Amino acid sequence: MQELSVSPLSTPSYDREDWKRGYQSQPEEMDYWIDEVTGTIPPDLTGTIFRNGPGLTDVAGTPLAHPFDGDGMICRFTFKGGRAHFSNRYVRTEGYLAEQAAGRILYRGVFGTQKPGGVFANAFDLRIKNIANTHVLPWGGKLLALWEAAEPHGLDPATLETLGLDRLDGVLKPGDAFAAHPRIDPMGAAGRWGENGAGQRRLVNFAVKPGLSTTITIYEFDEAGALRSRHSHSVPGFAFLHDFALTPNYCIFFQNPVTFNPLPYVLGFRSAAQCIQFDAKQPTRAIVIPRNPEAGPVQVLETQPCFVFHHANAHEADGQIIVDSVCYESFPSVDPDTDFREIEFDSLPAGQLWRYSLDLAAGTVHSRLMEARSCEFPTLHPNAVGRSQRYLYIGAAHDPKGNGPLQGILKLDLETGARSLWSAAPRGFMSEPLFVPRPGGTAEDDGWVIVTVYNAANHRSEVAILEAWNWAAGPVATLHLRQHVPYGLHGSYTPTCFIED
Ligand code: CO
């Protein structure tokens, strides 16, 4: 018999059954003013948070193999005059409508879901279901639900009604990909390559065409939604690129050392994502693409193997590009025969925050660990995107060591090294936090960090509002929703409100 350890560090800060319930489907669509509030909603907090994420983890009772295969559900939180309103709606994608009408799974999922009927039902079915579940972005008068392998869906921000596929006024062709990780340059193009864009924000996004070599296309849109630049680059090998980092002059991608063998996918044994293999013998490649294609060639720098989904930020300093990223030791894949709800966190690599210094002249990369605690979903002041930031807020495990679900938010002061954790353990579980600047605020942490928390104690979700400058005080307001919202992916804030009082 093994003795049970009594060290507090080895006691999980959570109950896995609690964590699992946060993945239950939420088929209801609701619309109401939130009337249960602990604390006070800041009266000067005005605007809308849109969030996206898989709302269904089953189709008519048949569980999906992976939550990332779930249909996109948009949540909208409106803040106005010290009050808050909630509404949610599914994106009416072609696949969502067809499966809901049929009452069964009709498509294979990219992350593991197979159609019923075994290998023969799945072999050679390479149709993609655009599930529109990864991000939601207000831009150029539109509201776009994003999923990286296909076109955006347009939504009505006032009703959350689905308007159909949106090809960005002809920028995209039918079937084109458009990544779910746009970055907004707060500086615009002012003075960079001769365009009038002073004070204008720029939306920068990319698309990936995978193959034996990978084509990366960079798009830039002005605030009106008009395309201002587009250029494509080919890099050798298969690349899984979920996110990128932006500076005033560069787009930076990390090409993870993975190989892709599509045969088990084509033959119906595995989903596409289950055919990705981490190759620790290969380096990670930092691909540095000038935003002005005439400014110079694409540079590729090598560093030690790691796997990155998300970058926190990047900036330029003294001929170097500094990139802060959440890195995993290897691709955190789940065994195809294991239900994702039954995963052992400790069997998976933990995400940790690393800082990479890319020396473009020397072609070298220096890296150092910034935060060892398991963490994911970084956010920061929107005006610090592409510039040296002092503060970072990131979802984090409660325990400082090992791997675990996100139960807290860590505020990191990268200048002093100070860090402070707000935790909702043992029964609270985080989604991605968002930083909302306070109107008229000037300091980098003069704003609120707003996060959806699943509370297993009552199987409902809450919205916690923290004053970023007064972190140790914990939430100034906790908004209790009437229902739970499954763990989401990404979201956006806009100062605009789309509903009447
Ligand atoms: Co992401």
Side-chain angles (χ1 to χ4, degrees):
M1 287 280 285
Q2 241 187 338
E3 256 188 21
L4 288 173
S5 166
V6 290
S7 153
L9 286 183
S10 64
T11 305
S13 61
Y14 62 96
D15 176 307
R16 200 168 63 188
E17 294 304 311
D18 275 0
W19 172 76
K20 269 166 64 174
R21 276 195 295 276
Y23 270 125
Q24 278 181 17
S25 293
Q26 179 50 272
E28 297 295 320
E29 297 183 315
M30 304 174 94
D31 193 288
Y32 58 88
W33 287 93
I34 301 166
D35 49 18
E36 250 184 272
V37 176
T38 307
T40 306
I41 300 172
D44 47 350
L45 172 59
T46 303
T48 307
I49 284 177
F50 293 102
R51 298 201 50 79
N52 199 351
L56 293 180
T57 44
D58 71 280
V59 173
T62 304
L64 303 179
H66 198 288
F68 292 175
D69 288 336
D71 291 302
M73 184 180 85
I74 307 296
C75 290
R76 183 186 63 192
F77 304 91
T78 307
F79 303 95
K80 208 176 187 182
R83 301 172 70 206
H85 179 275
F86 172 83
S87 63
N88 70 311
R89 278 200 95 170
Y90 278 89
V91 185
R92 262 60 178 178
T93 64
E94 194 187 326
Y96 170 83
L97 292 171
E99 289 187 333
Q100 292 303 307
R104 63 196 166 88
I105 295 174
L106 300 175
Y107 292 84
R108 304 173 71 190
V110 171
F111 285 91
T113 302
Q114 300 277 36
K115 293 188 291 183
V119 167
F120 292 106
N122 289 281
F124 305 108
D125 182 354
L126 309 183
R127 292 174 305 149
I128 284 183
K129 179 186 174 193
N130 179 347
I131 49 179
N133 74 355
T134 312
H135 204 334
V136 54
L137 171 78
W139 192 263
K142 296 180 176 186
L143 182 64
L144 302 169
L146 303 177
W147 185 66
E148 67 193 25
E151 304 108 300
H153 280 79
L155 309 169
D156 181 334
T159 61
L160 298 184
E161 189 189 335
T162 303
L163 305 173
L165 290 177
D166 191 313
R167 301 205 171 99
L168 310 174
D169 307 316
V171 169
L172 303 178
K173 295 190 301 296
D176 273 358
F178 193 66
H181 267 280
R183 298 270 170 187
I184 295 171
D185 183 343
M187 296 296 285
R192 265 213 316 284
W193 56 94
E195 288 187 67
N196 294 320
Q200 291 265 315
R201 297 182 309 154
R202 271 250 172 142
L203 175 71
V204 186
N205 199 14
F206 67 100
V208 175
K209 205 173 190 183
L212 293 176
S213 66
T214 301
T215 304
I216 304 170
T217 302
I218 312 273
Y219 299 91
E220 301 208 12
F221 300 87
D222 64 21
E223 286 208 272
L227 182 71
R228 302 306 292 266
S229 100
R230 166 167 46 189
H231 42 103
S232 296
H233 307 271
S234 180
V235 295
F238 171 80
F240 174 89
L241 306 172
H242 175 66
D243 189 9
F244 77 117
L246 183 75
T247 70
N249 291 296
Y250 299 100
C251 295
I252 304 104
F253 295 83
F254 274 29
Q255 185 178 11
N256 298 304
V258 292
T259 56
F260 180 66
N261 170 13
L263 203 58
Y265 166 61
V266 173
L267 295 180
F269 291 100
R270 294 197 173 187
S271 70
Q274 287 164 343
C275 297
I276 293 177
Q277 280 276 324
F278 190 79
D279 181 1
K281 293 190 294 295
Q282 295 291 323
T284 285
R285 293 187 171 90
I287 304 165
V288 182
I289 302 179
R291 287 173 64 184
N292 173 4
E294 283 151 31
V298 173
Q299 279 184 262
V300 179
L301 284 67
E302 294 188 350
T303 184
Q304 79 274 13
C306 65
F307 193 92
V308 174
F309 286 106
H310 296 130
H311 300 285
N313 199 20
H315 68 274
E316 297 167 22
D318 307 324
Q320 297 202 329
I321 302 175
I322 314 297
V323 187
D324 294 337
S325 311
V326 179
C327 295
Y328 298 79
E329 261 178 28
S330 66
F331 180 54
S333 59
V334 177
D335 186 304
D337 300 324
T338 305
D339 186 324
F340 71 91
R341 298 164 192 88
E342 305 299 334
I343 59 159
E344 294 290 347
F345 276 93
D346 282 329
S347 72
L348 291 175
Q352 295 174 315
L353 187 72
W354 285 73
R355 170 160 284 191
Y356 292 86
S357 305
L358 282 51
D359 188 322
L360 294 184
T364 55
V365 179
H366 175 79
S367 63
R368 92 184 146 93
L369 182 64
M370 303 283 278
E371 177 55 54
R373 188 188 294 263
S374 173
C375 57
E376 204 23 296
F377 293 135
T379 186
L380 73 167
H381 195 297
N383 290 351
V385 171
R387 304 189 220 170
S388 170
Q389 82 281 3
R390 175 168 176 185
Y391 299 109
L392 208 58
Y393 312 86
I394 189 165
H398 178 80
D399 289 323
K401 290 204 172 107
N403 197 2
L406 304 179
Q407 293 193 282
I409 312 277
L410 200 57
K411 179 185 181 183
L412 296 169
D413 181 336
L414 301 175
E415 210 167 282
T416 65
R419 54 251 295 120
S420 173
L421 181 79
W422 168 68
S423 171
R427 306 206 74 181
F429 300 90
M430 301 290 151
S431 290
E432 174 199 58
L434 283 180
F435 183 90
V436 175
R438 196 173 64 82
T442 50
E444 196 190 306
D445 62 350
D446 197 348
W448 301 281
V449 171
I450 303 182
V451 61
T452 311
V453 186
Y454 170 67
N455 183 352
N458 57 11
H459 189 50
R460 288 160 58 184
S461 292
E462 298 166 352
V463 178
I465 303 173
L466 289 98
E467 294 170 335
W469 70 91
N470 188 22
W471 196 253
V476 287
T478 305
L479 289 52
H480 306 272
L481 302 184
R482 296 178 189 169
Q483 79 294 2
H484 86 286
V485 172
Y487 305 123
L489 291 168
H490 301 294
S492 306
Y493 164 77
T494 168
T496 308
C497 292
F498 299 92
I499 56 167
E500 301 297 324
D501 289 324

